[in-house]
Amino acid sequence: NGLRVKAPLKSLVKTDPPKKSSIPKTTFNSTTHTPDLTVKTSLDLRGFRGDDAIRECTYYLDKALARGLKQVEIIHGKGEGILQKLIHETLQKRDEVQTFDIAPWESGGSGCTIVTFR
């Protein structure tokens, strides 16, 4: 569950091992202090209102990018198209988004948007 980092070998620097300190270590519950980077390949926003949907979508996109996903689905439902419009406006502002488009009919059609990252 770690992140991968690519760096040129020349940029790596050898360091001394950490010095043992006489200060007692503080223990903590790792489940409350480590970020949750588990990400599904789709996000269901049906039933969300505007600001909440944008906030949830932004958080989801950040997590998907951090995990290195190349493509995700955002399910916004059909309805009157207001949520779809808000999501598409949000996606247009993201530099990391290469393309986004309505899903094929068999994958949800106008109720789902497929997002591809750079």
Side-chain angles (χ1 to χ4, degrees), residues 38-111:
T38 55
V39 182
K40 296 181 180 180
T41 57
S42 65
L43 172 66
D44 191 348
L45 294 175
R46 291 176 292 185
F48 278 74
R49 296 286 182 175
D51 288 341
D52 293 334
I54 292 171
R55 183 175 26 260
E56 197 67 28
C57 181
T58 301
Y59 178 67
Y60 173 74
L61 293 173
D62 291 342
K63 282 176 47 175
L65 286 163
R67 291 304 287 163
L69 296 180
K70 295 294 181 191
Q71 181 175 309
V72 295
E73 295 178 348
I74 300 176
I75 304 166
H76 40 70
K78 296 179 182 178
E80 295 181 20
I82 297 168
L83 195 53
Q84 174 189 334
K85 182 179 180 219
L86 287 172
I87 297 304
H88 285 196
E89 287 173 357
T90 301
L91 293 171
Q92 283 177 334
K93 296 174 187 174
R94 301 284 302 234
D95 292 333
E96 310 89 355
V97 173
Q98 183 175 8
T99 62
F100 65 91
D101 204 357
I102 299 297
W105 178 83
E106 63 274 4
S107 297
S110 64

Side-chain angles (χ1 to χ4, degrees), residues 5-14:
V5 177
K6 290 185 178 183
L9 187 59
K10 292 187 284 185
S11 69
L12 299 179
V13 178
K14 185 175 180 178

